[in-house]
Amino acid sequence: DVKVTQSSRYLVKRTGEKVFLECVQDMDHENMFWYRQDPGLGLRLIYFSYDVKMKEKGDIPEGYSVSREKKERFSLILESASTNQTSMYLCASGILTLYNSPLHFGNGTRLTVT
Amino acid sequence: GDSVTQMEGPVTLSEEAFLTINCTYTATGYPSLFWYVQYPGEGLQLLLKATKADDKGSNKGFEATYRKETTSFHLEKGSVQVSDSAVYFCALSAGSSNTGKLIFGQGTTLQVKP
């Protein structure tokens, strides 16, 4: 089974802090994604990556950056956390170019910014 | 741009009732369509998918048919159980230019009462 592991289930950070959310997958998938989940808004794509050191902006990249130094690891960075970034963050991985291949999700990190 | 619209929830049903969760989409080209389920405290997992018009995806008693003429992919189950209580997301994956990312609907919460 594919395993996507997010390093933290819950995080509480203060406004202005730099926050790192880590994600690791064990299936050698090329694609990795960060989504944000908010009630009534579903999942919105923040950033994705289809190769090491490659990244593409999703629909809501403002206030976020990402890093992919190794194929299995994809990090989401909040440069200066703000209260409107309080949310559930979901990491996913998938196979490049197979558009009908499903994504595999981690269990999520619930981030609270105070 | 591409988008997915789901019926608003929450949906509350008694055990053994019939379930329909409506999903319609807007997309250029020929997307693949998915239903994902999120159980409490977990990430999303694939429930079923369909990759072309008139395909029927099915899994765990759930079914959905890809209707191109009505741009719909409604989720159905003949007899729900308490264990089906979860949040259900409809999603699409665009065609040839896609890099594997999914566009999600806003999610529909299902609560099944004994």
Side-chain angles (χ1 to χ4, degrees):
Chain A
D1 268 1
V2 176
K3 195 170 175 81
V4 179
T5 303
Q6 295 184 230
S7 55
S8 304
R9 290 299 301 272
Y10 301 94
L11 277 179
V12 180
K13 298 292 182 180
R14 293 190 181 277
T15 300
E17 278 193 79
K18 190 169 186 176
V19 181
F20 293 85
L21 304 183
E22 306 288 346
C23 174
V24 177
Q25 52 96 3
D26 66 357
M27 279 301 292
D28 203 36
H29 284 163
E30 297 90 353
N31 284 355
M32 295 189 75
F33 305 82
W34 276 106
Y35 285 89
R36 171 176 170 161
Q37 181 181 3
D38 298 289
L41 297 177
L43 275 70
R44 293 178 291 168
L45 183 62
I46 305 172
Y47 268 96
F48 65 100
S49 168
Y50 52 88
D51 200 355
V52 174
K53 297 193 185 294
M54 304 301 289
K55 60 184 179 184
E56 295 282 344
K57 292 181 179 179
D59 300 317
I60 52 164
E62 296 79 18
Y64 303 94
S65 63
V66 290
S67 172
R68 193 161 181 206
E69 296 296 318
K70 294 185 178 181
K71 191 175 185 179
E72 68 271 18
R73 186 179 297 270
F74 192 37
S75 302
L76 180 69
I77 303 158
L78 286 66
E79 296 289 343
S80 177
S82 63
T83 54
N84 63 12
Q85 293 178 309
T86 291
S87 187
M88 171 71 86
Y89 291 88
L90 292 169
C91 176
S93 72
I95 299 171
L96 182 66
T97 72
L98 284 181
Y99 68 91
N100 58 4
S101 177
L103 296 187
H104 302 268
F105 284 83
N107 284 340
T109 296
R110 185 166 294 282
L111 172 67
T112 302
V113 183
T114 61
Chain B
D2 296 350
S3 66
V4 176
T5 302
Q6 291 179 234
M7 63 185 288
E8 289 195 24
V11 174
T12 302
L13 295 173
S14 297
E15 209 164 21
E16 300 183 2
F18 184 85
L19 168 71
T20 301
I21 300 178
N22 290 338
C23 171
T24 57
Y25 67 90
T26 302
T28 55
Y30 303 96
S32 291
L33 302 173
F34 303 83
W35 277 100
Y36 280 79
V37 58
Q38 184 180 34
Y39 298 106
E42 298 183 11
L44 276 69
Q45 55 186 274
L46 178 69
L47 182 59
L48 53 85
K49 71 177 186 182
T51 58
K52 61 182 187 297
D54 300 324
D55 265 4
K56 178 185 281 188
S58 61
N59 186 26
K60 299 181 181 179
F62 291 89
E63 292 183 340
T65 301
Y66 189 162
R67 302 284 188 201
K68 188 167 171 61
E69 64 276 13
T70 55
T71 61
S72 65
F73 192 54
H74 305 320
L75 182 68
E76 296 181 336
K77 187 174 185 183
S79 176
V80 294
Q81 305 300 312
V82 172
S83 57
D84 293 326
S85 298
V87 182
Y88 292 81
F89 291 92
C90 186
L92 71 81
S93 176
S96 58
S97 62
N98 177 57
T99 53
K101 63 182 178 179
L102 296 181
I103 297 168
F104 287 87
Q106 63 267 49
T108 302
T109 299
L110 170 65
Q111 183 178 18
V112 181
K113 296 188 173 180

